[in-house]
Amino acid sequence: MSINIVEGTRNKEQGTSLVSKPELLAPAGNFEKLQAALIYGADAIYFGGKNFSLRAFGDNFTREEILKAVEFTHALGKKIYAAVNIFAHNADLDALADYLKFLDGANVDAVLISDLGVLSLAKETNLKIHISTQANVTNWRAVKFFHELGANRIVLARELTREEILEIKNNCAAELEIFVHGAMCISYSGRCWLSKFLTGRDANQGACTHSCRWKYNLVEEKRDGEFFPVGEDERGSYVMNSKDLCLLPYIDKVIQSGVASLKIEGRMKSVNYVAGVVKVYRAAIDSYFDNPNDFKIRDEWLAELNKVVHRPYTTGFFLSDDEPTEIYSTSKPSRATNFLGIVREFDSETMTATIEQRGKFEINQRVEFFQPCGKTFSQVITSMRDEDGQEIFSAPHAQQIVKISVVEPVEIWSLMREEF
Ligand code: SF4
């Protein structure tokens, strides 16, 4: 991968070596989310094909879409990785070999793998290999072993403290990647049988139903239909419902650990989520490297992370403290800002933005424009016209094209949202 060495930025943990600017890696559940991730500042994206990635119910990419995605990503000088991280059965192997050959020919930059059989198939191609977090790599010997097997990068297990990450970094030459943001799994690095047991949908084949987030009661076997609450208090029993990871408040310490790539979780999440989270981490990483000695977390970054759908945030295992990582009161995520449309064109002479609708909006509504680079601004919608120039008062139709007057120049690919 290409990394920028920033002169004068010393690794405060080690005291001697320079810290490289880490890659910001974002999820791409479909082509539109891929565009959002890259335009809002990701250095690289990861996606799943229609088969063999651990998000069977995401939109995922067809072979034709993969070719388009590679072309778009490389045109921006960025990287694209394919998740091929299922635990394969014998019956999967022939199709997997064919798919890996296709990915090699398509020029994806690396494949993300959990299973040793899939790794052996990938080694028969020219693809770079990243070891998925599902492989549960928790120590430097495991990193070295995967590196010797041909892996270029290892995604460390989420269950590691900062000190453990530093020790691994100090003992290994392989690139390291860690999760910095997104939903967590209560089971060890996602290896779980709960969903398969309760619904037949296998988490290890990409079909998890998130059964850990359901509400559970106790039933005595002869008292059919009588549910006894289980819980530490009156709030309930969501004992397996994990908070979401957010390492933004400690991003300086994450950077100082010297890992090569910072990963955002969420191939099933919305365009609004991907754009918002990526822009915040992009700004934080760049701000650190602009002035590491005077780096501060900005309130506006934290505010934006609260606008996207999420559960209460946690630092997970990173700080090795005793903060609870489960939410006992509810399994519902927070309300997010309402995503209304994407700016497709802007006419600076008439100060008109062309919006592709995503949620219903109407005249006199207050909205905000969240821009890829510029500051967010808000305004009231004072005039709306349809594609043919006819005056309209609301935009209820999916993906309807609407022209509205804007009070400030607005960047293409800005998200129009309900003011939060
Ligand atoms: S059911 Fe929950 S713990 Fe199990 S794999 Fe799915 S998200 Fe993880």
Side-chain angles (χ1 to χ4, degrees), residues 180 239 305 341:
V180 290
V239 287
L305 292 183

Side-chain angles (χ1 to χ4, degrees), residues 184-187 190 192-195 203 208-213:
M184 301 234 290
C185 186
I186 200 73
S187 290
C192 170
W193 210 243
L194 189 63
S195 175
C208 175
T209 54
H210 302 273
S211 316
C212 58
R213 310 233 185 236

Side-chain angles (χ1 to χ4, degrees), residues 52-328:
F52 310 128
S53 86
L54 286 179
R55 286 292 177 269
F57 293 94
D59 291 344
N60 292 332
F61 289 66
T62 62
R63 291 193 176 200
E64 201 181 355
E65 287 165 337
I66 291 170
L67 295 173
K68 190 167 96 167
V70 171
E71 190 182 353
F72 183 88
T73 307
H74 285 172
L76 294 175
K78 302 191 176 195
K79 300 265 173 93
I80 177 165
Y81 309 137
V84 193
N85 52 348
I86 64 158
F87 289 94
H89 288 246
N90 295 332
D92 297 319
L93 293 177
D94 288 347
L96 266 165
D98 181 63
Y99 181 54
L100 289 165
K101 275 189 198 131
F102 163 77
L103 292 174
D104 191 10
N107 214 13
V108 303
D109 294 289
V111 283
L112 193 62
I113 285 170
S114 309
D115 181 274
L116 288 172
V118 182
L119 189 151
S120 80
L121 283 172
K123 284 185 71 172
E124 292 170 9
T125 71
N126 297 308
L127 288 161
K128 285 195 172 167
I129 295 166
H130 295 181
I131 299 299
S132 166
T133 193
Q134 258 75 21
N136 291 137
V137 177
T138 54
N139 62 76
W140 61 264
R141 279 196 170 268
V143 171
K144 276 187 113 156
F145 188 65
F146 274 118
H147 198 199
E148 284 158 16
L149 282 178
N152 305 83
R153 179 187 293 185
I154 319 295
V155 188
L156 296 178
R158 287 177 173 92
E159 293 82 10
L160 294 179
T161 65
R162 179 173 156 236
E163 288 71 27
E164 288 176 301
I165 295 167
L166 280 168
E167 192 177 345
I168 290 172
K169 172 69 188 156
N170 289 339
N171 281 286
C172 302
E175 287 180 4
L176 301 177
E177 179 178 308
I178 63 167
F179 279 89
V180 290
H181 196 93
M184 301 234 290
C185 186
I186 200 73
S187 290
Y188 213 74
S189 286
R191 291 193 171 194
C192 170
W193 210 243
L194 189 63
S195 175
K196 170 89 169 167
F197 177 73
L198 291 175
T199 68
R201 282 170 42 178
D202 187 350
N204 300 305
Q205 298 286 322
C208 175
T209 54
H210 302 273
S211 316
C212 58
R213 310 233 185 236
W214 299 351
K215 187 171 185 184
Y216 291 92
N217 285 282
L218 182 70
V219 179
E220 197 276 324
E221 64 174 293
K222 295 201 176 83
R223 299 193 201 189
D224 198 19
E226 282 188 50
F227 300 108
F228 298 94
V230 184
E232 290 182 18
D233 57 33
E234 70 283 355
R235 289 175 299 180
S237 60
Y238 305 98
V239 287
M240 297 181 284
N241 180 36
S242 174
K243 293 177 182 174
D244 286 355
L245 180 68
C246 175
L247 293 185
L248 182 79
Y250 300 93
I251 196 72
D252 50 348
K253 293 186 170 47
V254 170
I255 291 168
Q256 288 155 16
S257 70
V259 297
S261 181
L262 309 184
K263 186 174 208 164
I264 295 166
E265 180 276 344
R267 275 191 279 149
M268 307 278 281
K269 300 272 175 60
S270 69
V271 167
N272 184 41
Y273 176 92
V274 171
V277 176
V278 165
K279 188 176 178 186
V280 166
Y281 278 88
R282 173 80 280 143
I285 295 166
D286 290 350
S287 171
Y288 176 84
F289 281 88
D290 284 347
N291 191 353
N293 296 323
D294 194 29
F295 176 75
K296 288 188 185 64
I297 300 295
R298 295 194 195 141
D299 290 345
E300 75 219 42
W301 300 338
L302 297 168
E304 180 57 36
L305 292 183
N306 282 323
K307 286 184 182 181
V308 299
V309 67
H310 68 283
R311 297 180 181 83
Y313 287 130
T314 174
T315 52
F317 295 80
F318 188 72
L319 296 182
S320 51
D321 58 13
D322 292 329
E323 181 211 5
T325 55
E326 288 81 38
I327 318 149
Y328 300 116

